[in-house]
Amino acid sequence: MKLKSIKIPILYFIILFFPNVIVFAHYPMGNYIRKELALPQNGVRAEQVKDKPELLGDPKAESMIGDFKIYNDRVGFIISGARPASGYHLYGGHVEDAGLLRKQDDGYYWWNLMGDVYPVFYQGAGSLLVARLFKPETVEIVKDGSDGEAIVRVKGRDAEFPILKEILQIKTSSSIKADITIDYILRPGARTLEVITTLKNQTKKKRTLYMGMVFMMGDGQNMFAPDIGFNSGNMRGRVFPLIGSAGHGISYGWYSPEDNLHIHEKMYSLVASTFGDITMPPEGEGSFKYYFIVGTGDEASIYDEKYRLDGETALGVLTGKCVEQDTGKPAADAMIHVLTPEGNHRNQIAVSADGAFRAVMPPGEYILQAVSYERDDATPTKVLIKSNEETSALITVPQSAAMTYEIINEWGERIPATISFKAVDGKPTSANDPKFRVETFGGGFYKTIFSGGVGSVALRPGKYEVYFSRGFEYEIDKKEITAVGGETTTVKALLQHIVDTTGFLSGDFHVHSQPSPDSDDTIAEKVMGAAACGLEVPIATDHERNTDYKPHIKKLGMEKYVTSIVGDELTTMRLGHFNAFPLHYDPDKPNNGAPYWYGLTGPQIFKAFRDDPGEYEVIQINHPRSTGGGYFDFVGYDPTTGTARDKKNFSWNFDAMEVVNGKGLGDLKHTIPDWFSFLNLGRRITGVGNSDSHHVFNLELGYPRNYVMSATDEPDKMVETEFIKAVLAQKVVLSGGPFIRFTVNEKSGLGSLVKDTDGVVNLNIEVQAPSWIEVKTLTIIANGETIKTVPITACREAVCYKGSIKVNPKRDTWYVVSVEGDKDLFPVYPGARPYAITNPIWVDVDGNGRFDPLLQ
């Protein structure tokens, strides 16, 4: 982005609302239903979806026209048809989306925030190595709801688990030899889908199989279970009567009448379980029942429905109000957690807008702990729940504090920025206990927000160092505040744009958001995070799914600051991870058009990307030497010879490689030799650096980033094909802080082939950085060898180095320039250090019009 010429500061006006402030805002709101089209009370229906408005919709919805909808006046479910499914399980016939109907204005909205959940069958007692999936053959409506019950029936057979087959490259399990029928049943007024799975034995022997589920929730949903609450890291190897997940405005729960849900695996957002066994007589049938509950955003609504289904009668009712001390105002931001006297977690109850809360509970003594991230701890409240009685409690919580702010540049214009709060005297609170499901922030900060330039933020009372930043091109501003409960502090911050990147747009080519099962970031959060850190072209590369940020950019009004490109990360388990962009976004296809990778060789994977209808595209090798996920490791690439051991899976049909992935620079010792070997082979593989960001509030988005040569500095005027062609042509500077301008003989830029036969070549170099980035060393590399190192002692007015260095190549030579430093990039990118490297400029010394490779 170019620096603005001097002009008189413009007037700015205080507005009555604070736009574009993003802290944690998971948006499960889906499709709108006019009041007259909603089902009446006690209505229930099953139907095949014929039009998109009939679907539930949400940021992660994966259902399609032709699927089956089963719903009443409270909840709705989409059962995918006998079609290929999105995600990692490939097959339909399962619950694709599940939503809660919420009143809004003169109608209703579906709220839906469900991840991937699908059935598995085990021939042994729980190992995923013997797991089989369900592959549907037919889906039909057995009852449409007109007689008071809706049933969708799916019939099919078992199939191999494709991920396991890819990992192990052997046949992982044999057929369970049974016909499978799954009935999905919904009744009027219920918030529960009853699921009955029936297996018909095809053999003449009595057999027992195990029924289970795989959960890949994430997506803003947090898994919980009895005793441990939301500390899901303690799930593995335990048996629970129920597990669930809770997020903003909607929660889910799963259990069977046997109360025997065994968790076998817990890896990141994946939870593998068994519900129980199914015994089949010779050539006979066996069945298993479980329930899928939709709640209103907390555990209490899940347990309430479970108790109803179990016919529990010896229960009590807990009601109450949660209000602020001194003011008596409702404290709707608090959650009421119910603990045993021993500290075991028993329930979690949302507080409504008027401060009220309610839960059905078994009799006993309990401790109520109100928890809010923006408040100090409330005093625990002891209650005694009695059978068939109502117990009321009044809980008072300390007042939160607030800070209002405005962020401007040197011309008086409001600009997007990141605001990070470091607690100076912060003390641990219940919000730090993992069983209470509280959001966390990276970099040692109490809280980070992404703002459009003006707003207000709630804070826990205390002293804070407040850092305002906007990526690598701006200076930072720091304020010290004391936040007092019930009071508001006003702050005005100035961020000076000091680094001149005229002729370049900054892009991060590896970014994940909510459509990825391992990211909770909504697309809105990702877009605002990009605008706030000065990242102009975040490329959406969700796992196995094409994602389009542009509608969200427009909705947020961020077109001036951010544009985006549709991409995909194809995430194999045996060959590595690969990005491609731009790709065609097609919401009418599974995974929005992203290719399936199961069973493909490396060359076939690259061809699948090339078959996308786009005119130009970049295929990028992600973290090529990372443990367990590096393509060059998998194929045995040897940079000293320029050859790969696995010739079946190696292909040169890619365009770029990640020299740097994320904040760790430790892989440079492996990736730099790989990249330099490609250049020595004469292959114009573009070296890039990307964040691989999954959690924007960890302050990772945009470190590192790529400055791509561009005819415009304005994101909304970027021509996508020109941007892509520049990446393919190596017109890129990889930046983890510093910005480098590099030309040869004062005119030939990055990626150019320069004819120079007189034996003297001038390397023109300029390095810029804001004052909070410390640059120590500049290095010039020729054909993979360091030929000169220049110490840098100080940066003055953003310029750290500017000069011309003469070199005397004896043969065709490519040159790159790198700079680095040792000091941590706190507060903008804590845990990272300065590093940047250019793509090469190629010099034709013998004048034959080409670069003659060093390696053959």
Side-chain angles (χ1 to χ4, degrees):
M1 182 183 293
K2 64 184 177 183
L3 298 177
K4 300 181 72 169
S5 59
I6 297 175
K7 62 180 181 179
I8 299 173
I10 64 172
L11 294 175
Y12 50 87
F13 301 92
I14 300 298
I15 54 178
L16 298 177
F17 58 96
F18 302 131
N20 307 322
V21 179
I22 299 293
V23 185
F24 279 92
H26 297 291
Y27 302 107
M29 188 177 290
N31 288 341
Y32 177 75
I33 300 175
R34 297 201 311 271
K35 185 177 181 179
E36 63 271 20
L37 297 180
L39 287 182
Q41 188 175 6
N42 293 323
V44 64
R45 185 174 299 169
E47 61 190 20
Q48 190 168 17
V49 176
K50 297 181 174 58
D51 198 6
K52 286 185 179 180
E54 298 172 10
L55 298 169
L56 305 187
D58 85 338
K60 178 78 171 25
E62 295 180 342
S63 49
M64 303 172 67
I65 293 172
D67 289 343
F68 293 80
K69 182 178 178 181
I70 185 169
Y71 63 108
N72 58 28
D73 63 320
R74 303 181 73 188
V75 296
F77 305 85
I78 302 291
I79 313 301
S80 50
R83 61 169 175 83
S86 297
Y88 291 93
H89 45 289
L90 287 184
Y91 310 116
H94 62 275
V95 179
E96 195 80 81
D97 293 309
L100 181 72
L101 204 59
R102 286 185 174 273
K103 189 168 180 15
Q104 182 85 12
D105 301 326
D106 293 329
Y108 302 88
Y109 275 99
W110 285 111
W111 282 51
N112 171 28
L113 199 58
M114 183 179 158
D116 291 336
V117 181
Y118 47 95
V120 292
F121 301 93
Y122 304 91
Q123 297 182 79
S127 171
L128 280 175
L129 294 178
V130 293
R132 301 284 291 182
L133 297 186
F134 174 60
K135 184 177 182 180
E137 295 174 343
T138 63
V139 184
E140 63 175 332
I141 295 172
V142 176
K143 292 187 176 183
D144 66 2
S146 56
D147 65 350
E149 184 178 63
I151 302 177
V152 173
R153 177 169 293 164
V154 187
K155 292 183 177 181
R157 305 181 64 82
D158 62 309
E160 198 164 17
F161 207 150
I163 291 180
L164 296 178
K165 183 177 181 180
E166 284 293 315
I167 294 173
L168 301 175
Q169 285 296 284
I170 59 174
K171 187 174 182 179
T172 57
S173 58
S174 57
S175 172
I176 63 176
K177 296 181 180 180
D179 296 321
I180 303 171
T181 300
I182 303 178
D183 284 343
Y184 297 98
I185 306 165
L186 185 64
R187 297 183 174 87
R191 288 191 285 108
T192 299
L193 187 70
E194 182 180 321
V195 185
I196 300 176
T197 302
T198 302
L199 275 64
K200 184 176 181 181
N201 192 353
Q202 295 177 340
T203 74
K204 296 183 179 181
K205 295 181 179 180
K206 179 181 178 180
R207 300 171 62 221
T208 298
L209 298 175
Y210 295 86
M211 171 74 192
M213 300 289 288
V214 169
F215 305 89
M216 295 184 71
M217 293 303 290
D219 310 319
Q221 288 284 308
N222 296 268
M223 301 293 288
F224 66 80
D227 291 338
I228 64 172
F230 292 91
N231 190 9
S232 60
N234 289 341
M235 279 186 170
R236 190 176 187 273
R238 299 184 61 172
V239 177
F240 301 103
L242 169 148
I243 66 168
S245 68
H248 180 68
I250 191 165
S251 48
Y252 301 106
W254 296 264
Y255 88 103
S256 76
E258 297 181 9
D259 286 348
N260 186 30
L261 204 160
H262 189 176
I263 306 300
H264 298 286
E265 296 290 342
K266 172 67 171 71
M267 300 175 291
Y268 302 105
S269 61
L270 183 146
V271 176
S273 69
T274 53
F275 282 164
D277 58 78
I278 303 176
T279 299
M280 300 176 289
E283 298 181 324
E285 295 182 350
S287 63
F288 187 85
K289 179 195 294 186
Y290 72 90
Y291 296 106
F292 178 15
I293 303 169
V294 176
T296 57
D298 60 4
E299 291 184 42
S301 55
I302 300 297
Y303 284 116
D304 193 13
E305 189 75 353
K306 180 183 187 301
Y307 296 143
R308 182 187 69 81
L309 293 165
D310 288 345
E312 294 273 4
T313 57
L315 300 169
V317 177
L318 171 65
T319 61
K321 281 254 187 179
C322 183
V323 299
E324 284 187 343
Q325 294 171 3
D326 301 325
T327 70
K329 294 179 180 178
D333 58 296
M335 279 283 181
I336 309 300
H337 293 266
V338 183
L339 310 174
T340 67
E342 297 76 28
N344 292 325
H345 198 275
R346 282 291 178 266
N347 212 331
Q348 173 237 23
I349 317 168
V351 178
S352 64
D354 63 358
F357 61 88
R358 181 187 184 278
V360 176
M361 296 284 299
E365 294 182 358
Y366 299 98
I367 296 172
L368 308 183
Q369 179 66 64
V371 178
S372 170
Y373 196 69
E374 284 77 27
R375 302 177 189 269
D376 287 327
D377 265 355
T379 301
T381 300
K382 293 182 180 180
V383 295
L384 176 63
I385 304 297
K386 297 181 179 180
S387 177
N388 297 312
E389 292 186 15
E390 180 175 318
T391 300
S392 183
L394 176 65
I395 297 178
T396 58
V397 296
Q399 294 184 65
S400 62
M403 186 190 83
T404 61
Y405 59 85
E406 184 181 27
I407 309 161
I408 60 172
N409 61 17
E410 59 268 41
W411 317 118
E413 300 167 326
R414 289 190 184 125
I415 55 173
T418 300
I419 312 174
S420 297
F421 297 84
K422 184 173 181 60
V424 176
D425 61 349
K427 58 183 181 295
T429 71
S430 295
N432 302 111
D433 192 323
K435 66 174 173 280
F436 289 144
R437 186 178 72 87
V438 175
E439 312 290 4
T440 57
F441 298 83
F445 290 115
Y446 155 74
K447 179 181 285 192
T448 291
I449 69 171
F450 306 119
S451 171
V454 62
S456 179
V457 57
L459 299 171
R460 187 182 304 154
K463 293 182 178 180
Y464 295 95
E465 294 174 347
V466 187
Y467 296 92
F468 299 83
S469 65
R470 194 163 191 268
F472 297 143
E473 299 176 33
Y474 286 75
E475 295 291 5
I476 62 175
D477 198 356
K478 175 185 173 183
K479 307 291 183 184
E480 295 182 359
I481 67 168
T482 298
V484 178
E487 298 182 8
T488 298
T489 302
T490 300
V491 172
K492 189 170 185 177
L494 171 66
L495 298 181
Q496 184 181 1
H497 189 200
I498 191 170
V499 175
D500 183 1
T501 59
T502 302
F504 289 82
L505 286 172
S506 60
D508 188 339
F509 305 162
H510 193 168
V511 177
H512 296 273
S513 59
Q514 201 167 38
S516 291
D518 53 355
S519 174
D520 287 345
D521 296 344
T522 66
I523 297 176
E525 288 168 343
K526 218 72 181 192
V527 168
M528 286 305 301
C533 75
L535 176 67
E536 294 158 320
V537 192
I539 295 180
T541 55
D542 287 310
H543 296 292
E544 334 306 347
R545 189 176 179 92
N546 294 353
T547 303
D548 186 4
Y549 286 1
K550 285 186 177 179
H552 302 266
I553 293 171
K554 183 176 181 181
K555 185 175 182 179
L556 289 164
M558 288 290 109
E559 302 100 312
K560 177 181 177 181
Y561 303 103
V562 183
T563 188
S564 186
I565 296 173
V566 175
D568 168 54
E569 182 175 26
L570 193 148
T571 317
T572 78
M573 304 298 172
R574 62 184 176 87
L575 288 177
H577 298 181
F578 311 91
N579 277 1
F581 55 90
L583 295 174
H584 183 60
Y585 176 79
D586 188 346
D588 293 326
K589 292 182 178 180
N591 297 315
N592 294 333
Y596 288 106
W597 52 265
Y598 301 105
L600 300 183
T601 64
Q604 289 170 335
I605 287 171
F606 298 146
K607 182 179 183 300
F609 278 137
R610 298 291 186 205
D611 287 344
D612 189 86
E615 181 180 3
Y616 298 99
E617 59 196 358
V618 175
I619 295 179
Q620 171 184 293
I621 309 298
N622 292 345
H623 37 77
R625 291 291 184 179
S626 68
T627 303
Y631 179 58
F632 298 160
D633 285 327
F634 282 125
V635 298
Y637 180 77
D638 183 351
T640 62
T641 63
T643 60
R645 180 185 63 252
D646 185 351
K647 293 179 172 53
K648 175 184 176 182
N649 282 301
F650 183 70
S651 169
W652 288 108
N653 191 17
F654 62 92
D655 310 293
M657 65 165 283
E658 286 186 337
V659 176
V660 182
N661 175 280
K663 294 180 179 179
L665 300 180
D667 284 343
L668 283 171
K669 61 182 179 289
H670 302 297
T671 58
I672 285 289
D674 289 332
W675 185 38
F676 287 177
S677 77
F678 299 158
L679 304 182
N680 285 336
L681 286 163
R683 294 193 174 273
R684 290 175 170 266
I685 303 298
T686 302
V688 298
N690 303 302
S691 69
D692 196 359
S693 170
H694 287 68
H695 309 290
V696 69
F697 293 100
N698 284 349
L699 295 177
E700 55 192 19
L701 180 64
Y703 182 94
R705 65 189 66 183
N706 305 285
Y707 282 98
V708 180
M709 291 182 68
S710 170
T712 178
D713 294 321
E714 301 175 58
D716 57 343
K717 295 181 180 177
M718 182 193 82
V719 178
E720 186 175 284
T721 55
E722 296 304 311
F723 185 89
I724 296 300
K725 286 162 68 174
V727 174
L728 294 171
Q730 298 185 309
K731 298 183 182 300
V732 178
V733 177
L734 185 167
S735 175
F739 175 68
I740 307 172
R741 292 187 184 273
F742 175 39
T743 60
V744 165
N745 297 339
E746 297 185 350
K747 59 181 180 179
S748 298
L750 300 170
S752 300
L753 177 64
V754 181
K755 184 177 180 180
D756 192 317
T757 60
D758 64 5
V760 179
V761 174
N762 293 308
L763 307 182
N764 315 112
I765 304 166
E766 180 185 70
V767 179
Q768 296 181 68
S771 62
W772 56 273
I773 295 179
E774 185 179 280
V775 181
K776 287 284 189 73
T777 307
L778 180 149
T779 303
I780 298 173
I781 300 162
N783 287 346
E785 302 294 331
T786 297
I787 63 171
K788 191 175 184 63
T789 300
V790 180
I792 298 175
T793 57
C795 298
R796 295 179 179 85
E797 296 181 348
V799 178
C800 306
Y801 177 88
K802 187 172 185 177
S804 180
I805 297 174
K806 287 183 171 57
V807 292
N808 306 102
K810 304 301 182 185
R811 58 152 299 149
D812 289 0
T813 304
W814 55 262
Y815 294 94
V816 302
V817 177
S818 70
V819 296
E820 57 187 310
D822 300 323
K823 186 179 177 182
D824 190 277
L825 292 178
F826 180 91
V828 182
Y829 289 107
R833 66 177 177 87
Y835 179 79
I837 189 168
T838 70
N839 269 266
I841 299 177
W842 308 76
V843 179
D844 173 19
V845 173
D846 58 18
N848 65 358
R850 65 176 184 269
F851 178 85
D852 297 319
L854 281 74
L855 290 175
Q856 301 295 329

